[in-house]
Each structure stands twice: as C-alpha cells, then as structure tokens.
C-alpha cells in the first residue's frame, strides 16, 4: 500500500539505504552478493566478513540493519554466530544463505526457529553471476527486512547519512488506520488453510505447536519455500506440533487431524472427486511471483468447503493470499491474520487486514488459543 503525502519532507530527512553486512567465507561469493545488492539504490553494503566471529565483532560496534549470513564457515559458523549477532545488536534482521542440500535446509530451519528472519537458497559461485531470480529474491527480502527493522527502530532511518546515494523521499506513515473486522463465522469450520512467507516458519512452529498435539480439522500449509526446504519444514512442524505432518501427495484424501505442507515449486489445492475431498498438486504458472502460492490453495478450499473453511494468514512479504481470502469470505468462510507488531513483515497479513476481510487480527501468542476454541467447537 503506497501512502502519498501532499508535502515532501526536507532533503535532510530522506531515508538512507538499508545498511547490510554480508558474511561468507568465500571472497568471490561476498563480492557477487554485495554487487547484486548494491545494484539497488535502496541498499548499501557497509561491512563484509569471512566468518561468524568477525561478523559478531563488527555487529557490536556497527549500525548495520540486515545481515546476509552463510552457514558453513571456518572459525565460527553461521548457526553458532546467529544468537551472538542477535545479542550484539537486538532487533537485527538476519537472512540465512545456504545451498540447497538437505543438511543445509535443516540447519536453515533451525536458524529460523532461533531468530533468523528469513533465508535464501544460494547458488554456486559459477551460477550466481547469472542467477537473476536469486538476486531479485535476496534484494527484495533485504529491503523489506530493512524497513521492518526501521519500523521498530525509527531512529535508524536517518543514521549514518550517505549523501552520494540519493533515493526517493521517505513519506511519513501518519497515525494507524483502525481495522474493520467482520463478524466471526457462525458455521463450524471443517478445514484450516494457512498461508505464510517471510518469518513464517517461526510463526508456524508457535501456532501449530500451541494446538496441544491435536487438531480436529485438516490443516493445509502453504509456505513460500523451495523444494528440499518444504520436506524439512514438514518434519520440523511435526516435531513442534506433535500432529502428523508431511508434504502433501497428489491424490491423497484430506483427513482430519493431519497437517499437509505444500511441496516446494508446486501449488497445493483441494478438489472434490466422487464426493470425497483430495489433495491435487499442480505445477501451473506461479502466482504473485510464487510457487507454491497461497491464492490457488484458498480458491480451492472456498470451492470445496464453502462457508466451512477458515483461513489464517501469517507474517510474509507481498500480498499473496489476499485475492484467495476474498474468495473465501465471499463463500461465507472466515479469515484471521497475524497482527503487525508480532509479524516479521506485515505484507501478507496486512493485505487481508487492511481490506476488511478478517474476523480477527491477533498477536502471534493469541492465535493458537483462538484456533483451539474453534477446533473444540468443530468437534462438539
């Protein structure tokens, strides 16, 4: 959502580029990542480091806002450095960068649970030169997380002026606009569909881990993640929730008491076949620049369940899920969103909240109790 002010702020209050530190043991990778980030005028790489210990030392005396952190490094690896970085500079936004191996996917999920804000799947040094999708993803995540840091640390926006790099003026946000809520649905839900992106794994572990080890509904989860990562995500959700969880398989029945995770690079939907609801996986075009995307899932649950579907939109960049949530509401279903204060990025939940689609907008700790109440109603 773009806010337009009739009066431009003075030049000295112009927002400075997001300040980034790149941490990788490969000088080639550090250089390529730094070059990719600085191609955007809204980003300035102010530090680089070849190991975690060096990064921790820099963070303690720096005004850096976002760190791109490699996992495998000498002296101190990324997973060891992460809590030390967060302690050295509270509120620091950390993006884990790892190659697409099962081991690194598992470590990345552990890092997200330990406080990292997001991750990127890092190509090899030979691939990185031409990896435009990676550069675009990393740049957008760094900028969004930099703005998230500044919303909680507004004094940071104008620190360390860099007059040589001029970007668009910052526009004052003004007072928050009150959210309009819809009445809570009266029909008991028969399915819960969850969409999430940046910050999503941490939120999913918290919400699903708070369900008391059981769910009286089937739960569908679409988290923006590549293949390999989603299989590991399902394992971590199973550990956190104590509810049977797996990547969804095409054609399997939708069963109460199970959690289905959309596989990376494939849309997950529900279809009604011979009177039974089954999972259908589709490799159709990306939506909202994502595959898997939340919108296809929500359109399908609205068609399959009508007014008996419930949607939860957790932290994430962009607006994926807004159009699908609108379809759910039109079918009589209900939508709940995570609030801004507890979201890493309030893009996806903010998109549904600001358009009046929600029955509730809740802090993360209050979402599981809310869902438990509805699940108990469903079982009654």
């Amino acid at each position: 959502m773009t806010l337009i002010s009739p009066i431009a702020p003075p030049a000295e209050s112009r927002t400075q580029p997001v300040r980034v530190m790149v941490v990788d043991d490969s000088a080639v990778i550090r250089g390529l990542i730094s070059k990719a980030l600085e191609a955007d005028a809204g980003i300035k790489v102010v530090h680089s480091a070849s190991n975690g210990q060096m990064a921790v030392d820099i963070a303690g005396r720096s005004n850096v806002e976002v760190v791109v952190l490699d996992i495998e490094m000498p002296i101190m690896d990324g997973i060891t450095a992460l809590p030390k970085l967060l302690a050295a500079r509270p509120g620091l936004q950390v993006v884990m960068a790892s190659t697409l191996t099962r081991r690194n996917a598992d470590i990345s999920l552990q890092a997200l649970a330990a406080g990292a804000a997001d991750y990127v799947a890092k190509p090899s040094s030979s691939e990185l030169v031409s990896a435009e999708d990676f550069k675009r993803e990393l740049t957008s995540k760094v900028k969004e997380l930099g703005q998230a840091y500044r919303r909680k640390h507004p004094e940071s926006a104008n620190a360390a002026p860099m007059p040589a790099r001029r970007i668009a003026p910052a526009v004052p946000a003004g007072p928050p606009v009150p959210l309009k809520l819809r009445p809570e649905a009266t029909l008991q839900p028969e399915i819960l569909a969850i969409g999430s992106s940046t910050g999503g794994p941490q939120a999913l572990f918290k919400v699903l881990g708070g369900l008391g080890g059981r769910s009286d509904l089937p739960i569908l989860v679409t988290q923006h993640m590549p293949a390999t990562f989603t299989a590991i995500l399902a394992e971590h959700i199973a550990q956190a929730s104590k509810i049977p969880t797996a990547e969804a398989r095409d054609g399997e029945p939708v069963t109460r008491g199970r959690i289905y995770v959309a596989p990376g690079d494939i849309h997950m939907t529900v279809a009604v076949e011979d009177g039974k609801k089954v999972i259908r996986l589709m490799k159709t075009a990306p939506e909202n620049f994502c595959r898997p995307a939340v919108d296809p899932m929500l359109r399908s649950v609205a068609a399959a369940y009508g007014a008996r579907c419930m949607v939860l939109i957790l932290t994430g960049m962009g607006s994926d899920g807004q159009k699908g949530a609108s379809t759910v509401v039109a079918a009589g279903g209900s939508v709940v969103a995570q609030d801004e204060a507890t979201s890493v990025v309030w893009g996806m939940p903010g998109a549904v909240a600001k358009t009046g689609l929600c029955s509730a907008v809740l802090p993360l700790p209050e979402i599981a109790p809310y869902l438990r109440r509805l699940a108990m109603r469903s079982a009654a």
Side-chain angles (χ1 to χ4, degrees):
M1 179 179 181
T2 302
L3 298 174
I4 301 175
S5 171
I7 303 174
E12 62 268 21
S13 70
R14 291 172 188 250
T15 302
Q16 301 300 325
V18 173
R19 298 182 294 279
V20 181
M21 174 163 58
V22 177
V23 187
D24 197 292
D25 62 324
S26 166
V28 173
I29 294 291
R30 290 199 308 275
L32 289 171
I33 289 178
S34 296
K35 182 179 178 181
L37 291 173
E38 290 206 316
D40 190 299
I43 298 173
K44 177 67 176 177
V45 177
V46 294
H47 298 288
S48 66
S50 59
N51 62 72
Q53 183 61 63
M54 184 182 298
V56 172
D57 294 341
I58 292 171
R61 53 182 170 78
S62 170
N63 61 3
V64 66
E65 297 163 311
V66 180
V67 172
V68 180
L69 182 63
D70 188 25
I71 289 177
E72 297 176 319
M73 295 178 290
I75 302 178
M76 183 184 289
D77 61 32
I79 196 71
T80 303
L82 175 62
K84 298 177 183 294
L85 286 166
L86 297 176
R89 187 159 174 79
L92 184 67
Q93 302 291 301
V94 178
V95 180
M96 305 303 296
S98 68
T99 52
L100 270 176
T101 65
R102 181 178 176 85
R103 176 179 178 275
N104 281 345
D106 187 43
I107 293 172
S108 294
L109 265 293
Q110 294 176 35
L112 292 173
D118 212 334
Y119 66 93
V120 286
K122 184 175 64 175
S124 66
S125 56
S126 59
E127 295 170 327
L128 185 54
V129 175
S130 58
E132 294 304 319
D133 287 346
F134 167 78
K135 296 174 186 177
R136 187 163 44 248
E137 178 188 9
L138 179 60
T139 297
S140 63
K141 287 184 175 181
V142 164
K143 290 178 72 176
E144 192 72 38
L145 290 171
Q147 295 309 312
Y149 178 89
R150 290 177 180 185
R151 280 191 287 274
K152 296 181 180 179
H153 303 83
E155 74 287 351
S156 180
N158 295 303
M162 303 170 193
R165 298 182 66 88
R166 296 185 59 184
I167 59 175
V171 178
V177 178
L179 299 175
K180 300 174 80 172
L181 297 179
R182 301 177 60 82
E184 190 174 283
T186 55
L187 291 177
Q188 298 166 357
E190 294 181 353
I191 191 167
L192 171 64
I194 305 177
S196 53
S197 184
T198 305
Q202 308 96 303
L204 287 166
F205 302 152
K206 179 76 171 179
V207 170
L208 298 174
L211 295 182
R214 64 187 286 267
S215 171
D216 297 306
L217 309 175
I219 300 175
L220 307 184
V221 175
T222 291
Q223 160 73 37
H224 296 161
M225 269 188 166
T228 305
F229 276 70
T230 47
I232 303 297
L233 175 66
E235 294 175 7
H236 282 252
I237 289 175
Q239 293 169 6
S241 68
K242 311 303 181 190
I243 298 171
T245 306
E247 276 190 320
R249 301 190 309 272
D250 189 60
E252 69 176 315
V254 179
T255 305
R256 289 167 60 133
R258 296 189 64 84
I259 301 174
Y260 304 83
V261 176
D265 202 31
I266 301 175
H267 298 308
M268 176 177 64
T269 65
V270 176
V272 181
E273 299 176 3
D274 298 325
K276 297 180 180 179
K277 298 176 177 70
V278 298
I279 297 289
R280 284 298 172 201
L281 302 179
M282 305 184 302
K283 203 159 186 178
T284 50
E287 296 191 28
N288 307 304
F289 307 101
C290 302
R291 190 171 60 207
V294 179
D295 276 338
M297 175 182 70
L298 299 190
R299 289 196 302 269
S300 74
V301 297
Y305 289 88
R308 293 190 180 274
C309 61
M310 181 177 184
V311 170
L312 170 61
I313 303 295
L314 295 172
T315 172
M317 288 171 50
S319 60
D320 186 27
Q322 182 195 353
K323 292 179 180 177
S326 180
T327 303
V328 166
V329 168
S334 60
V335 178
V336 178
Q338 185 176 351
D339 74 351
E340 184 172 13
T342 62
S343 294
V344 174
V345 177
W346 207 51
M348 288 168 54
V352 293
K354 292 173 184 176
T355 47
L357 295 171
C358 295
S359 300
V361 178
L362 301 171
L364 186 61
E366 296 181 18
I367 294 175
Y370 184 88
L371 297 180
R372 283 203 308 268
R373 176 170 63 83
L374 293 179
M376 286 188 285
R377 282 173 51 193
S378 179

